[in-house]
Amino acid sequence: MPIFDISGDKLSAVEQKNFALEKDLQSLIEKNLETVFNCRFVASEFSTGAQHAGRIDSLALSEEDNPVIIEYKKVESSELINQSLFYLHWIQDHKGDFEIAVQKKLGNEAKVDWSDVRVICIAPNYKKYDLHAVQVMGANIELWKYRLFSNNSLYLEEVFHTTKSTASSTSVVPSDNGYKNPVMVEAGKKAALTRATATYTFDERLEGKSEQIHELTATIREFILGLDESIEEVPKKFYVAYKVSQNIACMEVKGKNIKLFLKLKPSDVPAGTKNYRDVTSIGHYGTGDIEFTVSSEAEFEPVKEFITMAYNKVGG
């Protein structure tokens, strides 16, 4: 993907380059994990022991306290995916080693949620055979492509994310005239491809809720997923997260309303905004310091601009 410098009304192509060393790419990402993936750094070149004789490039803890493995290559290589899958199975069998590393780096209060393990591969490109292989294997893995430019801009794009079929039975309901809303059809398709973490599903968040809350949830879900086809829906135990490289919004479905936690700062929300609360110092499920509580589509309408703002700030 070419990028261009803008000078007045003139465009000039920016030349691509590459990192001199693979370690340079690794160090840059490790020093900016919070900015890029909203993860906390745990360890670099983490040894898997003499028997397995490997070193995991980067270990981290996600914003939802899940283990994160990151592997890098500065050239196209099938070895990257094979290594990552090996380390995925290794860490699942050596949970204690990871938890010790987390507490050593982040403190004894740091907790690890093993309901999901995030594996991230970063390389300039991937062979089509590798993309097909990981799709067939169904491994829980993210493939990210990077481009480094001569003006010191770094471009990251997720080119593949394995999805696990959820147990959700959500369907698209025909409209009165017998035709399905194409936007809802697409949202339904995307929902069917979203990951289920552990045994959590989207429908579990709706159990026992009124028809009004079901409809409002569908409206919010449709809007967020419609922002970008790369947005992923991740059901959790108490909420549903919507993310690209990191969470944009978290939706907690209550009995009479829906709470939305957005990845924004309180200063991003004008004083006097209705249905808003700063929860920076208040314990809550989901990630994000901005809370909106909505109980109708009318109340949700003004929240859309803040969801879009959160999406843009994350770098969607």
Side-chain angles (χ1 to χ4, degrees), residues 206-255:
L206 297 177
E207 289 178 358
K209 305 302 190 296
S210 67
E211 186 62 29
Q212 179 185 351
I213 291 297
H214 278 240
E215 292 176 359
L216 180 57
T217 301
T219 298
I220 295 172
R221 186 187 204 186
E222 175 187 342
F223 175 78
I224 297 176
L225 292 175
L227 288 173
D228 191 324
E229 64 180 12
S230 66
I231 293 176
E232 178 191 3
E233 181 181 80
V234 187
K236 294 291 186 177
K237 187 174 183 179
F238 298 108
Y239 60 92
V240 179
Y242 294 90
K243 61 185 289 187
V244 278
S245 63
Q246 55 183 277
N247 285 356
I248 300 164
C250 292
M251 177 170 64
E252 184 181 346
V253 183
K254 309 291 282 186

Side-chain angles (χ1 to χ4, degrees), residues 134-189:
V134 293
Q135 186 172 7
V136 170
M137 288 185 294
N140 187 16
I141 193 169
E142 302 172 30
L143 303 184
W144 289 78
K145 179 172 67 177
Y146 79 83
R147 291 289 184 271
L148 181 65
F149 295 90
S150 58
N151 64 352
N152 284 329
S153 294
L154 178 67
Y155 172 78
L156 284 169
E157 177 187 3
E158 188 178 24
V159 295
F160 181 85
H161 193 140
T162 304
T163 55
K164 300 177 185 175
S165 178
T166 71
S168 173
S169 59
T170 300
S171 59
V172 181
V173 180
S175 63
D176 293 338
N177 60 10
Y179 293 97
K180 297 178 181 179
N181 182 332
V183 176
M184 288 302 294
V185 170
E186 184 61 27
K189 289 179 180 178

Side-chain angles (χ1 to χ4, degrees), residues 62-114:
S62 77
E63 57 191 314
E64 291 166 325
D65 298 327
N66 301 132
V68 181
I69 296 170
I70 308 177
E71 289 290 312
Y72 315 84
K73 289 293 180 187
K74 65 184 289 286
V75 295
E76 183 181 279
S77 172
S78 299
E79 182 183 355
L80 173 63
I81 295 172
N82 295 332
Q83 281 182 336
S84 301
L85 294 176
F86 174 82
Y87 293 142
L88 169 60
H89 290 288
W90 181 89
I91 202 169
Q92 289 171 334
D93 289 335
H94 295 79
K95 295 179 180 179
D97 293 333
F98 179 77
E99 290 176 358
I100 290 172
V102 167
Q103 292 178 357
K104 182 178 179 180
K105 181 67 178 180
L106 303 178
N108 293 333
E109 297 76 19
K111 303 298 181 184
V112 180
D113 180 358
W114 288 98

